Amino acid sequence: MVIVKDRDSTVVRAFDANTRFSTHLKYYDRQENAVKFFVDLIRTMDPHPDSYAFDVIRRKTFGFTSEEMRSTRLSGSAVQYMERALLYRDIAHAQGGVTDRPVSERVAALTEWTFVNVSNHFKQTTPTGGNFFDYNDVPLSLMIRGMGSCDRSAWVLATLAVHSGLPARMVYLFVDPEGPSSHTITEIKTERGWQAVDPYGNRIYPESVWSLSKSDPKYKHATLFLNPVEACAVLPMMRLAEMICRFYVPDQILFFDVWDSARTFVADHVAPGRPPHEIDGLTDRLLSEILQLSPFSTEDHVNPKVTIANIAVGRWDFPYWLRGYYTYNMFRKIKAEVLPFLSILRPARLLQLRGQYEEAAAALAALDNAPRDAIGMLHEQRDYFSILNHYYLNAYARVESDVARFEKTWPASPRLPMLKYILAHSLTRLNRSAEASQIYPSGSNFEGRGLLR
């Protein structure tokens, strides 16, 4: 670590931009209602319901305070973010995000992995006690549970890209600019330039969202978000923590520079080829315009943004909202109540996410005789992740037999569409392509789910 007398103007600018970007977010009725819902729900579960201060939870939902941004101490939530960030780096390495291959091939590997591991959107309907609906959550929890709709899978892919050292963005698409978002994708910068990536549909486009917006109606009203990361990544203290971490893990990423993200957008799209000082000035102006806005307080307009050419660019408020949901570990307690099997599967799933498949196989096998969980979903999910583990161990014949067994044992499981995809790929690798195409025809995509509307 190098400490110098003169202040680093680049660091000062980054800290200032992150602070302006992340403090005192605008008030939204929608979020107040969401906070009330979670507080009321947790109070029905906790023997000490009055211990949850609504005002504290609500405040955390609307960004950091100036004092939190200046703090030289790490809060409990910041430490938990750091623990997740260490895992994000491990997962990105294990799943092909950090190799000597061209960046476009690394992105393809991460996209395929995200499609299989997150992009299966469903609502559990059986057993009747199950309540496995599509929770909003931090990327690691989305990966552990192994499911999520388009915005969840897009955030997972963006997270893995960032922790692979690749610039990335979240992108909302709109059919009607005055209506709700119709789909969410990711955008990642490769050696070919920015490329739109749809992990939910397992598609990589050769063009950027900026380019697609000029010719494709589905992208005409797209919104690019400058902060595709967890909220704690913007804390200035994370810059110092990252410097310390890199003594031990040279490529560990903890800090996210909002100003640099905005400058990249300006340099690549708004003013390519312009002198650096002009790009810097335009970047300052862009951030100021985004933060001067008073966004609508309706459900359909909840992120401040400005329109440039055919698209908008702005701040993604959702990561900040999650801070409120996790206050007092509230969200974790809710999930432990309604999804008790996730904590049981977590150790095995973490091994699997990090590519330690032999160890994961042993951990999953150890659950064969585990007692039935409170809502009766442990063994169904364990069987699913066991098949996925065989797939990654290249045990394709085992995948075929286990999928047949799974279909008989769990005929109503919403995991079946993804198992068809995994089975088809396994049969292809067993040189049985004709059979594979009957199970999962080329171009098929979750029986239509995930396609742009």
Side-chain angles (χ1 to χ4, degrees), residues 221-236:
H221 307 293
T223 296
L224 305 180
F225 293 119
L226 297 173
N227 54 313
V229 292
E230 290 195 36
C232 285
V234 304
L235 292 172

Side-chain angles (χ1 to χ4, degrees), residues 202-218:
N202 203 13
R203 294 181 177 87
I204 299 176
Y205 296 83
E207 298 176 84
S208 67
V209 172
W210 178 274
S211 177
L212 288 166
S213 71
K214 299 175 182 178
S215 58
D216 190 330
K218 294 188 291 294

Side-chain angles (χ1 to χ4, degrees), residues 195-362:
Q195 291 185 250
V197 185
D198 179 5
Y200 190 76
N202 203 13
R203 294 181 177 87
I204 299 176
Y205 296 83
E207 298 176 84
S208 67
V209 172
W210 178 274
S211 177
L212 288 166
S213 71
K214 299 175 182 178
S215 58
D216 190 330
K218 294 188 291 294
Y219 291 84
K220 186 177 181 181
H221 307 293
T223 296
L224 305 180
F225 293 119
L226 297 173
N227 54 313
V229 292
E230 290 195 36
C232 285
V234 304
L235 292 172
M237 188 60 186
M238 285 302 165
R239 179 67 179 268
L240 177 59
E242 182 179 272
M243 292 169 69
I244 295 170
C245 277
R246 288 189 174 185
F247 277 108
Y248 308 97
V249 185
D251 61 347
Q252 180 62 54
I253 293 171
L254 296 174
F255 179 72
F256 185 84
D257 185 342
V258 169
W259 193 89
D260 184 66
S261 179
R263 190 186 191 281
T264 300
F265 170 79
V266 171
D268 290 347
H269 302 307
V270 180
R274 300 276 281 276
H277 72 277
E278 289 187 25
I279 293 174
D280 290 351
L282 289 169
T283 300
D284 289 334
R285 198 170 98 190
L286 172 63
L287 285 174
S288 295
E289 288 181 3
I290 291 171
L291 299 176
Q292 284 173 359
L293 292 178
S294 297
F296 296 97
S297 59
T298 68
E299 184 173 353
D300 299 335
H301 301 84
V302 291
N303 301 283
K305 58 188 178 183
V306 295
T307 300
I308 302 174
N310 292 325
I311 64 173
V313 60
R315 179 184 67 206
W316 192 35
D317 286 354
F318 173 73
Y320 300 100
W321 298 346
L322 279 177
R323 294 183 68 231
Y325 302 165
Y326 274 101
T327 303
Y328 303 118
N329 283 322
M330 182 172 64
F331 208 16
R332 290 185 180 87
K333 293 177 181 177
I334 292 173
K335 289 186 293 183
E337 176 74 19
V338 298
L339 305 174
F341 59 88
L342 281 181
S343 62
I344 302 172
L345 287 169
R346 179 185 174 90
R349 185 62 170 148
L350 283 175
L351 290 168
Q352 196 172 56
L353 296 176
R354 296 167 70 181
Q356 297 172 259
Y357 300 118
E358 296 287 356
E359 295 90 336

Side-chain angles (χ1 to χ4, degrees), residues 74-242:
L74 292 170
S75 66
S77 61
V79 172
Q80 290 168 353
Y81 158 69
M82 290 176 63
E83 292 170 348
R84 291 193 295 271
L86 293 169
L87 286 168
Y88 294 149
R89 181 248 178 216
D90 289 349
I91 296 168
H93 273 258
Q95 307 307 335
V98 185
T99 70
D100 293 332
R101 292 184 295 171
V103 173
S104 55
E105 293 183 16
R106 292 158 56 190
V107 170
L110 291 177
T111 302
E112 165 72 13
W113 185 88
T114 303
F115 174 71
V116 171
N117 283 269
V118 182
S119 306
N120 193 2
H121 173 53
F122 62 86
K123 181 174 180 178
Q124 182 84 22
T125 55
T126 57
T128 55
N131 195 20
F132 203 0
F133 58 85
D134 198 18
Y135 277 116
N136 290 309
D137 215 330
V138 293
L140 181 63
S141 294
L142 298 173
M143 288 186 257
I144 288 171
R145 76 185 188 195
M147 56 84 74
S149 55
C150 59
D151 54 345
R152 281 65 151 176
S153 58
W155 197 16
V156 166
L157 179 58
T159 297
L160 294 179
V162 167
H163 285 270
S164 299
L166 307 176
R169 303 174 181 131
M170 292 286 290
V171 184
Y172 281 7
L173 304 181
F174 297 86
V175 173
D176 176 1
E178 299 303 319
S181 172
S182 58
H183 195 47
T184 305
I185 63 170
T186 313
E187 189 176 39
I188 304 174
K189 192 172 185 178
T190 75
E191 77 278 8
R192 302 172 184 174
W194 286 95
Q195 291 185 250
V197 185
D198 179 5
Y200 190 76
N202 203 13
R203 294 181 177 87
I204 299 176
Y205 296 83
E207 298 176 84
S208 67
V209 172
W210 178 274
S211 177
L212 288 166
S213 71
K214 299 175 182 178
S215 58
D216 190 330
K218 294 188 291 294
Y219 291 84
K220 186 177 181 181
H221 307 293
T223 296
L224 305 180
F225 293 119
L226 297 173
N227 54 313
V229 292
E230 290 195 36
C232 285
V234 304
L235 292 172
M237 188 60 186
M238 285 302 165
R239 179 67 179 268
L240 177 59
E242 182 179 272

Side-chain angles (χ1 to χ4, degrees), residues 36-113:
K36 287 179 179 176
F37 168 80
F38 283 115
V39 172
D40 290 343
L41 181 59
I42 195 66
R43 283 175 173 167
T44 66
M45 301 175 179
D46 198 293
H48 306 288
D50 295 333
S51 63
Y52 300 93
F54 175 79
D55 288 345
V56 173
I57 298 169
R58 180 190 177 280
R59 177 181 63 76
K60 288 184 178 292
T61 304
F62 293 98
F64 295 98
T65 64
S66 299
E67 291 73 22
E68 285 175 314
M69 293 297 293
R70 290 196 298 266
S71 176
T72 57
R73 295 181 179 273
L74 292 170
S75 66
S77 61
V79 172
Q80 290 168 353
Y81 158 69
M82 290 176 63
E83 292 170 348
R84 291 193 295 271
L86 293 169
L87 286 168
Y88 294 149
R89 181 248 178 216
D90 289 349
I91 296 168
H93 273 258
Q95 307 307 335
V98 185
T99 70
D100 293 332
R101 292 184 295 171
V103 173
S104 55
E105 293 183 16
R106 292 158 56 190
V107 170
L110 291 177
T111 302
E112 165 72 13
W113 185 88

